Amino acid sequence: WLDHLSYNYSNSVSKVGAKVYFSNGAGLGTYNTGDNSIEKLTKINGLSDIGIKLLRVNDYNNVLLVVYENTNVDIITPNEKIINVSDIKRKIITGKKTINEVFFSGKFAYISCGFGIVVFDTEKLEIKDTYYIGTASVNLEVYDVTKNDTAFFAATTDGMFYGKLNANLSYFQNWKPLNIGVAPGPYNSVVNFNGKIIANYSHKLKTNLDSKDTLYEYTASGWLKYSINSNYKDA
């Protein structure tokens, strides 16, 4: 069998060593920056599924996560072995079963999902924990996660939440709202940029209309609007 998939566009790109992986949704292409060679990788020759949504590489150990729209996940190891991890796809979950983003810290991948955060060990290739944010009966959708030296920060449908690193984050009540000075949500992205926690308030998610989003920086006095221009020299 031969594939006849178009590789003229890409919806996600990641670089692992000398190889650049790019996805066209259905399969992967690889470009080797060392010898300029190009290869194709599809379900025919190694992938477990179709409908690729995200490619995310853990710089800690060069493990690549291939995330599918149906929440299936393939792991591509540094020696290019492909291992399927279908735990999220197979699990019966109360809430929205989606994967929105992946954040890495050391060997762990923190996978932002429609029902919470899945903690995945990229060395043992197993799920370590699941964090639920919200109440005992309603789990909030998490769009993104980051951390600093003291806490994790989660961007959710109902605003920003944080959980202290030394707390049992598997217990939903240890995740606290962090919405001083801003609207309660939704937030679709959060990053640690040069030690600053910066979150994006999404008008698109709230109104379903194309409009300007707003960036906020978390400070000792709460959230303040973040100006890219005024902080450009610090970048």
Side-chain angles (χ1 to χ4, degrees):
W1 291 94
L2 298 175
D3 73 80
H4 297 278
L5 305 173
S6 172
Y7 287 84
N8 293 328
Y9 75 96
S10 175
N11 66 356
S12 194
V13 178
S14 280
K15 186 173 185 293
V16 183
K19 273 196 172 182
V20 178
Y21 288 82
F22 54 95
S23 163
N24 66 352
L28 292 178
T30 65
Y31 170 69
N32 192 313
T33 58
D35 58 17
N36 296 323
S37 61
I38 297 176
E39 299 177 348
K40 296 179 182 180
L41 190 61
T42 69
K43 193 173 181 180
I44 296 174
N45 60 352
L47 297 182
S48 67
D49 219 323
I50 60 173
I52 297 171
K53 181 177 183 179
L54 298 172
L55 299 176
R56 295 292 184 263
V57 61
N58 187 357
D59 293 331
Y60 176 80
N61 54 13
N62 281 338
V63 169
L64 179 69
L65 270 65
V66 181
V67 178
Y68 297 92
E69 292 282 356
N70 62 5
T71 70
N72 201 3
V73 178
D74 278 343
I75 306 297
I76 301 181
T77 65
N79 61 1
E80 300 184 11
K81 182 179 180 180
I82 302 174
I83 301 168
N84 180 238
V85 179
S86 61
D87 300 53
I88 300 175
K89 178 184 176 183
R90 291 184 291 104
K91 188 174 178 61
I92 298 174
I93 294 172
T94 300
K96 186 178 180 182
K97 189 188 284 191
T98 59
I99 293 177
N100 295 315
E101 191 50 270
V102 181
F103 167 73
F104 296 101
S105 180
K107 68 176 182 176
F108 293 112
Y110 297 85
I111 305 174
S112 299
C113 300
F115 55 87
I117 303 165
V118 172
V119 185
F120 179 74
D121 188 323
T122 62
E123 291 185 347
K124 294 182 179 179
L125 302 184
E126 63 184 23
I127 291 177
K128 176 180 179 289
D129 210 342
T130 302
Y131 302 155
Y132 297 103
I133 300 174
T135 66
S137 59
V138 178
N139 301 324
L140 296 180
E141 180 167 9
V142 179
Y143 291 103
D144 203 2
V145 178
T146 194
K147 67 183 284 288
N148 61 13
D149 293 337
T150 61
F152 281 98
F153 299 83
T156 80
T157 49
D158 281 6
M160 294 298 303
F161 284 74
Y162 77 100
K164 293 183 178 179
L165 298 185
N166 59 1
N168 175 17
L169 297 181
S170 301
Y171 183 46
F172 71 94
Q173 287 192 346
N174 284 329
W175 288 89
K176 307 296 184 182
L178 194 66
N179 299 311
I180 301 173
V182 292
Y187 288 80
N188 66 347
S189 181
V190 61
V191 297
N192 185 331
F193 177 68
N194 289 343
K196 301 175 180 178
I197 301 299
I198 300 172
N200 183 68
Y201 175 74
S202 176
H203 292 277
K204 174 71 174 178
L205 285 176
K206 186 175 181 64
T207 65
N208 202 31
L209 298 174
D210 290 324
S211 55
K212 292 183 179 180
D213 289 356
T214 306
L215 291 176
Y216 290 95
E217 176 187 348
Y218 186 66
T219 69
S221 56
W223 294 99
L224 299 176
K225 285 188 177 180
Y226 181 81
S227 172
I228 296 176
N229 292 332
S230 65
N231 288 277
Y232 181 76
K233 292 182 181 179
D234 297 333

